[in-house]
Amino acid sequence: MITCHLRYVVDPYQLPAFEHYGKLWIRLVEKFGGKHHGYFMPSEGTSNVALAMFSFPSFAAYEDYRKRSFDDPECQAAFALNKKHRFIISYERSFFRPVFEDDQGARRAP
């Protein structure tokens, strides 16, 4: 299992637009076989940083989602929202291997 962590720098004056965008992507990630863990909006402290995390069974499954998302009309509509309104200033994408108590997603020792 691979978990994608996104750190967004967002326009703090457009948080409702970014939140709408995030809600769209939760369903879209799951449409392509991922498990979305949610978007995390600014609350106290920094007003322009938001986070998101979602998992796929493998990095190959994530890459397939990315490839297919560029041809999907719903994904293209979501991308177009940000292109039009520019509520995302920048973002960073990192990947992690989750560890759970029951070893779901953890690599087994040889």
Side-chain angles (χ1 to χ4, degrees), residues 29-80:
V29 163
E30 295 193 353
K31 170 182 172 180
F32 288 97
K35 171 63 180 154
H36 212 293
H37 308 295
Y39 276 77
F40 301 86
M41 301 297 293
S43 181
E44 295 298 318
T46 304
S47 65
N48 67 338
V49 173
L51 306 172
M53 290 177 45
F54 55 89
S55 298
F56 277 89
S58 66
F59 194 73
Y62 167 80
E63 289 178 325
D64 182 62
Y65 144 74
R66 289 279 294 165
K67 181 180 176 184
R68 291 170 55 204
S69 72
F70 291 116
D71 294 325
D72 182 80
E74 289 181 290
C75 293
Q76 290 306 305
F79 288 133

